C-alpha cells in the first residue's frame, strides 16, 4: 500500500551535464515541473530539501574538452556557473545547486563504493572492452558510436541511442567506431567491478512492476517493465578513464567510477553539503522511511533512476527508495527534435538576455505545453499566443480591471461586502474548491491540469465582472458595486497564492499591487484575505503584449541556424574523373604562383575579369570567368596559382595568356587556389 503521510520530502532534479548551457527541453522535462512541485510543498509548510547540481564527470564533458583543446576542469567551471546563474534567474528554487567536483561528493561516492565492495556486492571481472589502438586508450561508452540494434539509427552512442532512447552496451552497436580516431575499435582485456543487476531482477519486478503499476506514470512504468522483462545483465560500475572519481580499491589504478554510479550519489552528497551549511542532520532526508523521495528526470534517464540507482541503494541497504519518478517525455522545437550538436534549441541564458522580464512567460508556456505523457512541441507562435491570449487577456486583464476599478470608485481601498446574490455565492463556492483542485493535480504530477485549474480562477473572475458590470451599476447602486469589487479582489488575492508555484515573479508583483504579505497554501480558498478598508497600490500591467517583431526575431534566429546546418550538411556534387593521363602529360604543365597587379571587368561581359599578372618571368594578361564571385578591387595584390604555359586564347576581343586555378566551395562559389604564405612570383608548384 502506498504511503501518503510523510514528515519530510527530498526532491531531486536531474544533474545537468556541465558541458553546455541549459535549453527549454531540459526545463520542460525536469526543472520547471520540479520547481512547481517544490514551491507547492513549501507553501503547504512541508519540510523540503530540493537538491540539484552539475554532473561534471560525464563523457560529454571530456569529449567537449578534447574538441576545444582544453582541460575538462575548464569546461565544467565555465558551464557550472552559467547553468547555476540561469536557473537562479528563472526562479528555479533549489535549496542547493552543488557540483560533483566538490570534495564532499568524491568522499561520499567513494565511501558508497567501498561499502558495496566490502560487503561483496560487486563481481570483479576481466572482460574485453573496446580499445582505440591509435589513441592508445580504452573507450568510454560515449567515445563509441555505431548503428543502434533496436532502431537502426546510424549514430547511437555506446551507452544509449538518443533516437529511440534505448539503453545500450557498447558491444551492442553494429559497426562501432571510435570518436577519437574514426577507426573501428578492437576488443582488449581489462578488469572492472560489476553490479549483478540480475540478482535484483525479482525484487525490482515486485517493487516497480507490481508495486507501482497504479501510481507511477505509464511511460515510466512501461519502460521499466520492458527492461525488466528483457532480463537484466551485470553492469560495470567502473571505467578506464583519467577524468572522474578514482576507484578506491587496490588494483584499480587508472580507473574511475562509472558516471551513472557517481552522478546519482551526487544527490546524497549535495544533501550532506546543504545540511552542513544549515547545521542540521542530513541522514533523515535519505534514510528515514517517513521521508518521501521523488526524482524529476527526463525520459532518457528512466532506466538509471528507476533500475540502476535503486539497485545500488538496495545493495547498500541503508537508504530509502524513490516514492515516484515522474519523468516527462521530450519537448521538440518548431516540429524538430531539439539538438545541441545542431544548435537547434532555445538556450535559457540567451532567452533571459533577449527577453528580459519574461521568466514567467516561459515558465507558463513550458508548463502549459509540458510533454507529460508524450512528446510535445514548442513554437514561438504558441509562446506569443499563450502570453497575449492567456496571460495578458485573461489573468492580467482580470487583475487590472479589479484593481483599477477599486481605485476609480473607492480611492484604492477594499470596499465592504454587502448582501450576497446567487452569482456571488456561486463564485465564492467555486473559489473554495480551487486550491484543492490545483493541489490535487500537482500531487499527482499533472502540472498542465494544475495550471489550467489556476487559470480557471482568473477566467471565472473575468466572467464575474462581465456578468455583473460594476462600471454600469456604479451610477445606480454603489453598495452593490462594493460587494462585486470586494469579491473580485478576494479572487485576485487568492491568485497570488495558487499562481505562485507556476509564475512566482508575477505572483510577487500581484502581492505588491495588493499591498499584502505572502500567504501560505492554507489561506487559499479564503474569501476574506483582504479586509475592508485595506489600501491597494496603484495598478500596473501584470503582463505586457509580445509584439510580432519580437517573435519574428526569434524565428529568424532559428531559420539562420537551419540554413547553417543545411549548408554544413550539403552534399557537394563532385564532377566525374576525367580520362587518365600519363606522367609525361602531367610534366608538360607549368604551374606557377603569380601576383595580380591589376584587375578590371571586361567590357560587355558579365562573367569575365581581366588581370595583369606578374609571373616572375613576365607580366601578362589573363582572363577568368569569376566576375560573379569577386570584385576586381579586392583581388589586386593577391597571389594565385596559374597554368603558365597554356596556349593563348582570345575572348571578347582580349587575348588571355594562361589560366587562374579555382575551386568550388560548399555553396557553389568559386575560390582562388592560393599559397598559405607569401612566395616569390614565378615559384613553381610541384
Amino acid at each position: 500500500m502506498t504511503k501518503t503521510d510523510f514528515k519530510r520530502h527530498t526532491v531531486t532534479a536531474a544533474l545537468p551535464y556541465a558541458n553546455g548551457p541549459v535549453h527549454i527541453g531540459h526545463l520542460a522535462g525536469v526543472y520547471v515541473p520540479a520547481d512547481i512541485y517544490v514551491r507547492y510543498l513549501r507553501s503547504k509548510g512541508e519540510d523540503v530539501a530540493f537538491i540539484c547540481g552539475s554532473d561534471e564527470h560525464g563523457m560529454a564533458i571530456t569529449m567537449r574538452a578534447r574538441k576545444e583543446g582544453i582541460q575538462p576542469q575548464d569546461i565544467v567551471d565555465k558551464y557550472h556557473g552559467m547553468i547555476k546563474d540561469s536557473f537562479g534567474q528563472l526562479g528555479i528554487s533549489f535549496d542547493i545547486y552543488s557540483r560533483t567536483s566538490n570534495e564532499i561528493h568524491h568522499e561520499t561516492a567513494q565511501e558508497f563504493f567501498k561499502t558495496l565492495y566490502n560487503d561483496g556486492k560487486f563481481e570483479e571481472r576481466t572482460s574485453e572492452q573496446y580499445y582505440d589502438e591509435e589513441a592508445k586508450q580504452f573507450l568510454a561508452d560515449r567515445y563509441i558510436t555505431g548503428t543502434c540494434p533496436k532502431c537502426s539509427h546510424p549514430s547511437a552512442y555506446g551507452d544509449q541511442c538518443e533516437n529511440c532512447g534505448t539503453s545500450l552496451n557498447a558491444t551492442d552497436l553494429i559497426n562501432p567506431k571510435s570518436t577519437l580516431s574514426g577507426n573501428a575499435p578492437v576488443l582488449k582485456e581489462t578488469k572492472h567491478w560489476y553490479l549483478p543487476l540480475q540478482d535484483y531482477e525479482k525484487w525490482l519486478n515486485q517493487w516497480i512492476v507490481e508495486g507501482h503499476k497504479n501510481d507511477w506514470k505509464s511511460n515510466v512504468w512501461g519502460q521499466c517493465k520492458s527492461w525488466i522483462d528483457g532480463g537484466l545483465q551485470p553492469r560495470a560500475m567502473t571505467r578506464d578513464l583519467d577524468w572522474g572519481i578514482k576507484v578506491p580499491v587496490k588494483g584499480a589504478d587508472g580507473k574511475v567510477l562509472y558516471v551513472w554510479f557517481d552522478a546519482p550519489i551526487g544527490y546524497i552528497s549535495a544533501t550532506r553539503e546543504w545540511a552542513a551549511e544549515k547545521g542540521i542532520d542530513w541522514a533523515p532526508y535519505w534514510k528515514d522511511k517517513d521521508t518521501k523521495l521523488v526524482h524529476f528526470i527526463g525520459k532518457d534517464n528512466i532506466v538509471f533512476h528507476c533500475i540502476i540507482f535503486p539497485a545500488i541503494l538496495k545493495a547498500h541497504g541503508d537508504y530509502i527508495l524513490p516514492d515516484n519518478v515522474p519523468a516527462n517525455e521530450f519537448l521538440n522545437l518548431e516540429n524538430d527534435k531539439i539538438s545541441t550538436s545542431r544548435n537547434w534549441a532555445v538556450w535559457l541564458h540567451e532567452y533571459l538576455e533577449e527577453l528580459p522580464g519574461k521568466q514567467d512567460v516561459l515558465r507558463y508556456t513550458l508548463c502549459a505545453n509540458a510533454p507529460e505523457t508524450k512528446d510535445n512541441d514548442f513554437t514561438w507562435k504558441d509562446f506569443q499566443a499563450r502570453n497575449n491570449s492567456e496571460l495578458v487577456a485573461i489573468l492580467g486583464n482580470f487583475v487590472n480591471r479589479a484593481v483599477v476599478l477599486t481605485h476609480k470608485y473607492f480611492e484604492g481601498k477594499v470596499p465592504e461586502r454587502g448582501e450576497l446574490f446567487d452569482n456571488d455565492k456561486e463564485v465564492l463556492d467555486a473559489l473554495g474548491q480551487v486550491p484543492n483542485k490545483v493541489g490535487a493535480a500537482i500531487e499527482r504530477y499533472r502540472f498542465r491540469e494544475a495550471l489550467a485549474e489556476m487559470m480557471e480562477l482568473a477566467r471565472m473572475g473575468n466572467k464575474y465582472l462581465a456578468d455583473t458590470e460594476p462600471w454600469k451599476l456604479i451610477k445606480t447602486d454603489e453598495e452593490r458595486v462594493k460587494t462585486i469589487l470586494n469579491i473580485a479582489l478576494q479572487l485576485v488575492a487568492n491568485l497570488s497564492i495558487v499562481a505562485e508555484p507556476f509564475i512566482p515573479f508575477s505572483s510577487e508583483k500581484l502581492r505588491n499591487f495588493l499591498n499584502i504579505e505572502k500567504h501560505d497554501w492554507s489561506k487559499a480558498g479564503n474569501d476574506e484575505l483582504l479586509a475592508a478598508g485595506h489600501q491597494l497600490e496603484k495598478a500596473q500591467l501584470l503582463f505586457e503584449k509580445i509584439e510580432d517583431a519580437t517573435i519574428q526575431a526569434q524565428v529568424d534566429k532559428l531559420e539562420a541556424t537551419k540554413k547553417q546546418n543545411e549548408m554544413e550538411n550539403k552534399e557537394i556534387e563532385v564532377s566525374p574523373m576525367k580520362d587518365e593521363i600519363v606522367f609525361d602529360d602531367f610534366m608538360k604543365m607549368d604551374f606557377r604562383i603569380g601576383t595580380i597587379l591589376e584587375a578590371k571587368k571586361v567590357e560587355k561581359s558579365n562573367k569575365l575579369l581581366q588581370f595583369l599578372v606578374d609571373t616572375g618571368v613576365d607580366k601578362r594578361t589573363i582572363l577568368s570567368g569569376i566576375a560573379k564571385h569577386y570584385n576586381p578591387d579586392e583581388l589586386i595584390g593577391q597571389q594565385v596559382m596559374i597554368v603558365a604555359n597554356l596556349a593563348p586564347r582570345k575572348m571578347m576581343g582580349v587575348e588571355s595568356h594562361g589560366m587562374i586555378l579555382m575551386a568550388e566551395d560548399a555553396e557553389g562559389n568559386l575560390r582562388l587556389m592560393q599559397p598559405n604564405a607569401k612566395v616569390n612570383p614565378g615559384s613553381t608548384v610541384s
Side-chain angles (χ1 to χ4, degrees), residues 545-558:
K545 186 178 179 183
I546 296 177
E547 301 296 338
D548 292 345
T550 300
I551 296 303
Q552 192 59 49
Q554 295 298 326
V555 172
D556 290 346
K557 184 178 177 181
L558 287 175

Side-chain angles (χ1 to χ4, degrees), residues 63-81:
M63 291 173 72
R64 182 152 194 159
R66 181 182 289 268
K67 181 179 179 181
E68 296 185 15
I70 58 179
Q71 294 300 311
Q73 191 66 50
D74 298 326
I75 293 288
V76 299
D77 287 346
K78 173 183 176 180
Y79 289 111
H80 169 74

Side-chain angles (χ1 to χ4, degrees), residues 83-330:
I83 293 169
K84 183 178 181 179
D85 183 59
S86 296
F87 278 146
Q89 289 186 53
L90 192 67
I92 306 299
S93 57
F94 299 123
D95 285 298
I96 185 171
Y97 187 81
S98 187
R99 56 193 305 189
T100 58
S101 61
N102 285 350
E103 183 178 349
I104 191 171
H105 175 67
H106 281 245
E107 292 174 356
T108 303
Q110 288 179 327
E111 289 170 2
F112 220 101
F113 187 89
K114 283 191 287 187
T115 296
L116 269 61
Y117 176 83
N118 292 334
D119 289 347
K121 297 298 175 66
F122 292 128
E123 295 178 356
E124 186 177 312
R125 292 186 176 191
T126 298
S127 62
E128 290 187 324
Q129 293 191 8
Y130 281 128
Y131 184 85
D132 188 319
E133 294 182 307
E134 182 178 329
K136 292 182 170 52
Q137 72 175 69
F138 283 98
L139 295 171
D141 297 335
R142 285 267 156 171
Y143 282 134
I144 308 166
T145 61
T147 301
C148 175
K150 298 286 186 181
C151 71
S152 299
H153 183 65
S155 300
Y157 288 108
D159 61 349
Q160 188 173 57
C161 175
E162 295 190 346
N163 183 60
C164 68
T166 300
S167 183
L168 301 168
N169 288 309
T171 50
D172 297 331
L173 294 175
I174 301 167
N175 298 323
K177 286 187 178 181
S178 166
T179 62
L180 300 183
S181 66
N183 299 332
V186 298
L187 289 170
K188 186 175 179 179
E189 282 194 347
T190 184
K191 180 176 69 175
H192 284 291
W193 287 265
Y194 288 72
L195 184 68
L197 287 175
Q198 71 278 8
D199 293 351
Y200 301 88
E201 190 173 302
K202 182 178 179 181
W203 167 73
L204 284 166
N205 189 72
Q206 292 175 338
W207 177 57
I208 299 175
V209 179
E210 298 175 11
H212 285 295
K213 183 175 183 178
N214 297 321
D215 63 324
W216 280 18
K217 294 171 70 171
S218 60
N219 58 320
V220 178
W221 183 86
Q223 190 177 136
C224 292
K225 184 178 186 302
S226 176
W227 238 66
I228 295 169
D229 289 349
L232 301 181
Q233 302 297 321
R235 189 108 181 178
M237 295 291 108
T238 56
R239 290 290 188 268
D240 290 292
L241 284 174
D242 56 3
W243 173 251
I245 298 176
K246 305 301 181 186
V247 177
V249 298
K250 289 183 179 180
D253 293 341
K255 301 181 191 297
V256 299
L257 299 182
Y258 176 38
V259 68
W260 278 112
F261 182 90
D262 146 32
I265 294 173
Y267 301 137
I268 300 171
S269 62
T271 307
R272 291 181 64 186
E273 183 181 346
W274 164 74
E277 291 173 355
K278 290 194 68 176
I280 62 175
D281 185 7
W282 71 273
Y285 291 89
W286 281 95
K287 297 183 177 183
D288 191 328
K289 60 180 176 57
D290 286 326
T291 297
K292 183 176 184 178
L293 173 62
V294 179
H295 296 310
F296 281 87
I297 59 169
K299 74 174 179 181
D300 51 339
N301 289 342
I302 289 174
V303 167
F304 300 106
H305 282 77
C306 297
I307 293 180
I308 296 177
F309 188 42
I312 292 171
L313 295 175
K314 181 73 171 176
H316 190 288
D318 290 344
Y319 288 81
I320 59 173
L321 299 170
D323 182 83
N324 213 311
V325 187
N328 274 355
E329 299 292 292
F330 289 148

Side-chain angles (χ1 to χ4, degrees), residues 650-666:
K650 185 173 285 189
M651 294 178 284
M652 301 295 290
V654 181
E655 193 167 62
S656 177
H657 293 257
M659 176 182 288
I660 296 176
L661 298 181
M662 314 289 292
E664 187 175 320
D665 67 13

Side-chain angles (χ1 to χ4, degrees), residues 625-654:
I626 60 173
K628 293 183 179 180
H629 303 273
Y630 287 98
N631 185 306
D633 293 340
E634 67 180 300
L635 296 174
I636 296 173
Q638 297 280 348
Q639 288 199 310
V640 293
M641 186 187 301
I642 65 171
V643 182
N645 63 339
L646 189 66
R649 179 187 178 194
K650 185 173 285 189
M651 294 178 284
M652 301 295 290
V654 181

Side-chain angles (χ1 to χ4, degrees), residues 9-15 26-42 48-52 87 90-95 217 267 294-298 326-328 363 366-367 370 372 442 445-447 500-502:
H9 301 256
T10 300
V11 180
T12 72
L15 307 185
H26 302 132
L27 298 174
V30 179
Y31 305 105
V32 169
D35 190 63
I36 292 169
Y37 183 70
V38 167
R39 285 178 178 273
Y40 165 73
L41 291 177
R42 290 196 189 114
V48 184
F50 188 17
I51 308 298
C52 193
F87 278 146
L90 192 67
I92 306 299
S93 57
F94 299 123
D95 285 298
K217 294 171 70 171
Y267 301 137
V294 179
H295 296 310
F296 281 87
I297 59 169
N328 274 355
R363 289 176 63 111
L366 293 179
C367 182
E372 291 183 348
I442 290 176
Y445 312 103
R446 297 178 181 176
F447 301 104
E500 197 276 340
F502 309 97

